[in-house]
Amino acid sequence: MKDFEYQCQTKLIFGKNTEEKVGEETAKHSKRILLHYGKNSIKESGLYDKVIKSLKKNNIYFVELSGVVPNPRVELVREGIELCRKEKLDFILAVGGGSVIDSAKAIAAGINYSGDVWDFFIGKAVCEKAIPIGTVLTIPAAGSETSKGTVITNGGKKLSFSTNILRPVFSILNPELTYTLPNYQTACGVTDMFAHVVERYFTNTPHVDLTDKLCEATFRSIMLNAPLVIKNPKDYDLRAEIMWNGTIAHNGILGVGREEDWASHRMEHELSAAYDIAHGAGLAIMIPAWMKFVSKKNPSKFVQFARNVLDIKTSSEEEAINEAINKVENFFKEIGMPTRLSDIKVNETEITKLAKACAANQNQIGGYVTLKEKEILEIYRLAL
Amino acid sequence: MKDFEYQCQTKLIFGKNTEEKVGEETAKHSKRILLHYGKNSIKESGLYDKVIKSLKKNNIYFVELSGVVPNPRVELVREGIELCRKEKLDFILAVGGGSVIDSAKAIAAGINYSGDVWDFFIGKAVCEKAIPIGTVLTIPAAGSETSKGTVITNGGKKLSFSTNILRPVFSILNPELTYTLPNYQTACGVTDMFAHVVERYFTNTPHVDLTDKLCEATFRSIMLNAPLVIKNPKDYDLRAEIMWNGTIAHNGILGVGREEDWASHRMEHELSAAYDIAHGAGLAIMIPAWMKFVSKKNPSKFVQFARNVLDIKTSSEEEAINEAINKVENFFKEIGMPTRLSDIKVNETEITKLAKACAANQNQIGGYVTLKEKEILEIYRLAL
């Protein structure tokens, strides 16, 4: 096990009608806030009205900034920073999914920085101060409700940075708010949380027994509950399982004491930056391809995955691995995800550009198996 | 799943030589502290000198209060409260195991309260303010390094209370500090962490799939690593697994969204209050007896436990349960724990008193199966 520091200070308020507590929780931190959200969905669902009512009841002055899109843009982040400065707002309430929360985190980070917020993403500056944010989560997926990271898109670049001070001070998680998510979006979220476990589980760090077992538990719970929730989208307990899996998958506890990988995420970010597809859909394409490639170079953890997560008994390790990867691909198909680049109309001529761009951002990616441009291209090819 | 709130704000600093950071971490919170510890073991091991050096290097004024014993006493807590008030100390650094940390928490809670600190334990007052505490953990067991609870003994009474503000602001966990723990003490700690999962896992709350699986992962990791660490007490990675299991077992994450039980702990508290035995040893006696009794009344979760934790395939559910309970009892024996009251010289004439005392503190205990004096007595009898 590697040495580590871990602190996840986010207060979680989980359950029915918990969004009604948002004003009370926010008031513990601020009376002048930015209310940040996406487009119309929170208005159509009635969530917007409930949030406003709770804020007003607690005498909180709020300024609205809506318009966050999937793969949230740096332009809106800059607008949010200016707005907070002008209005002297010192707290951001993000109501939405991972994109809204990531956008809120980036705004929170940029307010006390004199340069351009993008500097944090390109490593030109280190974020040392951020105003606090709170969240009301509507899409279980990105885990941004407790994570320390934010992912923002700037033109064709989709980059991330993370620091513990970006973790929300509170997050409100009501599974009922996810009843109306279309199945496709639910499945994208499920794929994202599955990927967050993949990126941590596949490691070369030895002696991480408990954390391995916690990862395996989370994989199993996601794979059990996701197909059920697609069939029963208004089942409270299934929605609750998925929501809680999304948080556990990415609050960092599954990654302590070990090297993480993140190659699938990096390769996916090129996809969603170039084609503006949903992050989860891109991951459902990249993960099986990544697994096919790296399991050949470094099979050991895949054998463990086959045995402990998927109960594959086949004595041949190679067969067990192939069966495991097929099961993962079939799981994504079962919940309605694309699993090939051809499903999203990306063809062979384009993957060279993707591989080049992916290798350009960082010279090499991955940890379980490190990948340079040549290997990245091979993985994109396996995904065709 | 039940609604819940969860926040564990403790910063964990885990790994080799991490005790050298204690001064730096403490200085973020205070420059006038109480240094609280047990008897001579931290001096013999050299830990005391390292802590002092780090505190001095960071210009921290400290007053020492040593003498914490297993089953920590309220008298020393009161002394600590007076000392902190007199010396205007506003932070407590606990260096030791669960007893030292629990004692520190009780002192921290009592300082800003005008009445007697025992009021919090008997429910006469609610603790709303506490000064912060930090810890350097030397015994993985009680989980007090991140938990919100404290257990204190007052005469023949051993009671607890908990509130989120008692969670340490930081905890330093260096597995190397546990190399010199005698096997018996290691095993007591292991039993305590195993018990912390038992108290959460055995619940009637339906639809807690992920949390069940996380509990099962923790059970499996404890049962795998504990016998190994007894044989290899200076293996860093095994010590690290045990230490991390102790934290995960009791930071609260395994108990979210579900009713907890705590009957075994309550019954054990009577034992250790009356006979001053180690808490872990008492639990190794009470848990198998509790399992034998409640599994007859409410078998369902025991079948799941047998299948998922112990891989018992027997088709008969009754046989599977019996085999599972035998395996748990044998696990405790294997690591060197007593598993019967006769092992600690408690005989039949004494259990009536124990049952009466246990039922007197709270009229009924438990959640998976609720127990009154009559049932409690039956369980003590099964433990003879």
Side-chain angles (χ1 to χ4, degrees):
Chain A
M1 202 186 298
K2 284 164 55 76
D3 297 350
F4 66 87
E5 292 194 2
Y6 178 75
Q7 183 177 29
C8 182
Q9 63 276 24
T10 308
K11 177 180 180 181
L12 294 170
I13 304 160
F14 191 107
K16 290 174 182 166
N17 303 316
T18 45
E19 67 275 16
E20 292 169 7
K21 297 183 183 166
V22 68
E24 188 189 331
E25 281 302 320
T26 302
K28 293 174 187 169
H29 302 278
S30 167
K31 290 282 187 176
R32 289 183 72 85
I33 74 164
L34 182 73
L35 174 61
H36 200 38
Y37 55 96
K39 290 193 168 166
N40 283 322
S41 67
I42 68 162
K43 292 193 173 168
E44 287 160 11
S45 69
L47 176 59
Y48 174 86
D49 289 337
K50 285 188 196 172
V51 168
I52 296 300
K53 190 178 159 194
S54 182
L55 293 176
K56 286 187 175 164
K57 194 175 153 194
N58 287 276
N59 303 313
I60 293 163
Y61 173 77
F62 59 92
V63 178
E64 297 185 40
L65 180 64
S66 65
V68 182
V69 293
N71 303 315
R73 307 302 199 269
V74 74
E75 292 80 5
L76 193 70
V77 169
R78 292 184 183 124
E79 201 180 313
I81 292 168
E82 284 314 309
L83 193 54
C84 286
R85 286 177 181 157
K86 192 181 125 213
E87 289 270 1
K88 302 195 191 314
L89 311 176
D90 58 7
F91 185 94
I92 306 172
L93 178 64
V95 182
S99 298
V100 174
I101 302 172
D102 280 7
S103 184
K105 285 176 177 173
I107 296 169
I111 288 171
N112 291 306
Y113 176 62
S114 58
D116 179 35
V117 66
W118 191 246
D119 290 352
F120 298 134
F121 295 85
I122 56 173
K124 198 179 145 188
V126 173
C127 173
E128 281 165 356
K129 263 176 99 173
I131 63 169
I133 77 161
T135 88
V136 179
L137 184 67
T138 59
I139 311 173
S144 193
E145 68 276 13
T146 57
S147 80
K148 56 185 185 175
T150 168
V151 186
I152 298 291
T153 296
N154 183 357
K157 290 203 169 172
K158 183 171 174 177
L159 296 177
S160 65
F161 85 95
S162 69
T163 162
N164 229 45
I165 54 173
L166 289 189
R167 294 194 199 261
V169 290
F170 69 80
S171 282
I172 289 175
L173 291 85
N174 177 359
E176 295 172 309
L177 299 177
T178 68
Y179 284 175
T180 52
L181 277 180
N183 275 346
Y184 185 79
Q185 219 174 338
T186 299
C188 283
V190 163
T191 308
D192 197 13
M193 55 187 83
F194 186 92
H196 290 153
V197 191
V198 167
E199 307 288 21
R200 294 179 165 97
Y201 182 71
F202 289 94
T203 183
N204 296 312
T205 311
H207 299 291
V208 283
D209 177 66
L210 173 59
T211 311
D212 267 5
K213 286 180 164 68
L214 297 175
C215 286
E216 289 162 1
T218 312
F219 276 133
R220 292 178 77 112
S221 186
I222 293 170
M223 294 182 90
L224 173 69
N225 289 292
L228 299 176
V229 86
I230 296 288
K231 290 191 196 97
N232 307 281
K234 299 204 172 174
D235 182 303
Y236 180 82
D237 289 300
L238 292 173
R239 286 291 189 186
E241 291 293 351
I242 290 300
M243 196 166 229
W244 191 225
N245 266 292
T247 299
I248 292 293
H250 204 44
N251 68 6
I253 204 82
L254 300 184
V256 297
R258 55 209 285 144
E259 292 285 350
E260 302 187 7
D261 190 273
W262 298 97
S264 300
H265 262 75
R266 300 271 176 265
M267 289 184 288
E268 192 295 313
H269 284 178
E270 296 307 322
L271 278 190
S272 47
Y275 307 106
D276 206 18
I277 58 161
H279 175 53
L283 287 166
I285 294 167
M286 294 317 304
I287 285 172
W290 174 83
M291 286 183 157
K292 285 168 197 168
F293 184 85
V294 302
S295 65
K296 293 274 190 291
K297 310 269 175 194
N298 190 356
S300 62
K301 204 87 188 193
F302 282 87
V303 178
Q304 183 183 330
F305 177 74
R307 306 284 188 228
N308 294 358
V309 176
L310 298 163
D311 294 321
I312 296 168
K313 310 283 184 217
T314 330
S315 64
S316 151
E317 293 195 343
E318 196 184 336
E319 280 174 36
I321 292 172
N322 290 339
E323 191 181 331
I325 298 172
N326 278 339
K327 281 198 174 181
V328 169
E329 194 165 345
N330 287 335
F331 165 69
F332 292 145
K333 281 183 193 158
E334 184 188 359
I335 60 173
M337 287 284 94
T339 58
R340 298 297 170 133
L341 288 171
S342 52
D343 294 336
I344 59 161
K345 319 267 183 260
V346 174
N347 61 36
E348 187 150 11
T349 58
E350 291 165 87
I351 62 174
T352 316
K353 273 187 294 181
L354 289 170
K356 199 173 285 296
C358 190
N361 280 335
Q362 282 133 316
N363 186 36
Q364 65 178 32
I365 63 171
Y368 183 67
V369 173
T370 53
L371 308 167
K372 297 196 174 184
E373 188 177 332
K374 178 169 160 281
E375 292 86 22
I376 294 168
L377 180 61
E378 280 189 62
I379 293 173
Y380 280 122
R381 185 165 289 123
L382 285 167
L384 281 168
Chain B
M1 203 186 296
K2 284 163 56 74
D3 297 350
F4 65 87
E5 291 194 2
Y6 178 76
Q7 183 177 28
C8 181
Q9 63 275 22
T10 308
K11 178 181 180 180
L12 294 168
I13 304 160
F14 191 107
K16 291 174 182 166
N17 303 316
T18 44
E19 68 275 18
E20 292 170 8
K21 296 181 183 168
V22 67
E24 187 188 330
E25 281 301 321
T26 302
K28 292 175 188 170
H29 301 279
S30 168
K31 289 282 185 178
R32 288 184 72 84
I33 74 164
L34 181 74
L35 174 61
H36 200 38
Y37 56 96
K39 292 192 169 168
N40 283 324
S41 68
I42 69 164
K43 291 193 174 166
E44 286 160 10
S45 70
L47 175 59
Y48 175 85
D49 289 338
K50 285 188 194 171
V51 168
I52 297 299
K53 189 177 162 195
S54 183
L55 293 176
K56 286 186 175 165
K57 193 174 155 195
N58 287 276
N59 303 313
I60 293 164
Y61 172 77
F62 59 92
V63 178
E64 296 186 39
L65 180 64
S66 65
V68 182
V69 293
N71 304 317
R73 308 300 198 269
V74 74
E75 292 80 4
L76 193 70
V77 169
R78 290 184 185 127
E79 200 180 316
I81 292 169
E82 284 313 309
L83 193 54
C84 286
R85 285 178 182 157
K86 192 180 125 212
E87 288 270 3
K88 299 193 193 319
L89 311 176
D90 58 6
F91 185 94
I92 306 172
L93 178 64
V95 181
S99 298
V100 174
I101 302 172
D102 280 6
S103 184
K105 285 176 177 173
I107 296 170
I111 289 171
N112 291 305
Y113 175 60
S114 58
D116 178 36
V117 67
W118 192 246
D119 290 351
F120 298 136
F121 294 84
I122 56 172
K124 197 178 146 190
V126 173
C127 173
E128 281 166 356
K129 266 177 99 174
I131 65 168
I133 76 161
T135 87
V136 179
L137 184 67
T138 59
I139 311 174
S144 194
E145 69 275 13
T146 58
S147 80
K148 56 185 184 174
T150 168
V151 186
I152 297 293
T153 295
N154 184 356
K157 290 204 168 172
K158 184 169 174 180
L159 296 177
S160 66
F161 85 96
S162 70
T163 160
N164 230 46
I165 54 173
L166 289 189
R167 294 192 197 262
V169 292
F170 70 78
S171 281
I172 289 176
L173 290 85
N174 177 0
E176 294 171 311
L177 299 178
T178 68
Y179 284 175
T180 52
L181 275 181
N183 276 347
Y184 185 79
Q185 218 174 339
T186 300
C188 283
V190 163
T191 308
D192 197 13
M193 55 187 82
F194 186 91
H196 290 153
V197 192
V198 167
E199 306 288 20
R200 294 177 166 97
Y201 182 71
F202 289 94
T203 182
N204 297 310
T205 310
H207 299 293
V208 283
D209 177 66
L210 173 59
T211 312
D212 268 5
K213 286 178 163 67
L214 297 174
C215 287
E216 289 162 2
T218 312
F219 277 132
R220 292 178 76 112
S221 186
I222 293 170
M223 294 183 89
L224 173 70
N225 289 291
L228 301 175
V229 87
I230 297 289
K231 289 192 196 96
N232 307 281
K234 299 206 171 172
D235 182 302
Y236 179 83
D237 289 300
L238 292 174
R239 285 290 188 185
E241 291 293 351
I242 290 299
M243 196 166 227
W244 191 225
N245 266 292
T247 299
I248 291 293
H250 204 45
N251 68 6
I253 204 80
L254 301 185
V256 298
R258 54 207 288 144
E259 291 286 348
E260 302 186 6
D261 191 273
W262 298 97
S264 301
H265 263 73
R266 299 273 175 263
M267 288 183 289
E268 193 295 312
H269 284 178
E270 296 308 321
L271 278 189
S272 47
Y275 307 104
D276 206 18
I277 58 164
H279 176 53
L283 286 166
I285 295 166
M286 294 317 304
I287 285 173
W290 174 83
M291 287 184 158
K292 285 169 198 168
F293 184 85
V294 302
S295 65
K296 293 274 190 289
K297 310 269 176 195
N298 190 356
S300 62
K301 204 87 187 194
F302 281 87
V303 178
Q304 183 184 328
F305 177 74
R307 305 286 187 227
N308 295 357
V309 176
L310 299 163
D311 293 321
I312 296 169
K313 309 282 185 217
T314 330
S315 65
S316 152
E317 293 194 343
E318 197 185 335
E319 280 174 37
I321 291 171
N322 291 339
E323 192 180 332
I325 298 171
N326 278 339
K327 282 198 173 179
V328 169
E329 193 163 348
N330 287 334
F331 166 70
F332 292 144
K333 280 184 194 158
E334 183 187 0
I335 59 174
M337 286 284 96
T339 59
R340 298 295 169 135
L341 287 172
S342 51
D343 294 335
I344 57 161
K345 320 265 184 260
V346 173
N347 60 35
E348 188 151 9
T349 58
E350 290 164 272
I351 62 175
T352 316
K353 273 187 292 180
L354 290 169
K356 200 174 286 293
C358 190
N361 280 335
Q362 281 132 319
N363 186 36
Q364 65 178 33
I365 62 171
Y368 183 65
V369 173
T370 52
L371 308 167
K372 297 195 175 187
E373 189 178 331
K374 178 170 160 280
E375 293 85 23
I376 294 167
L377 179 62
E378 280 190 58
I379 295 173
Y380 280 122
R381 185 163 290 124
L382 285 167
L384 281 168

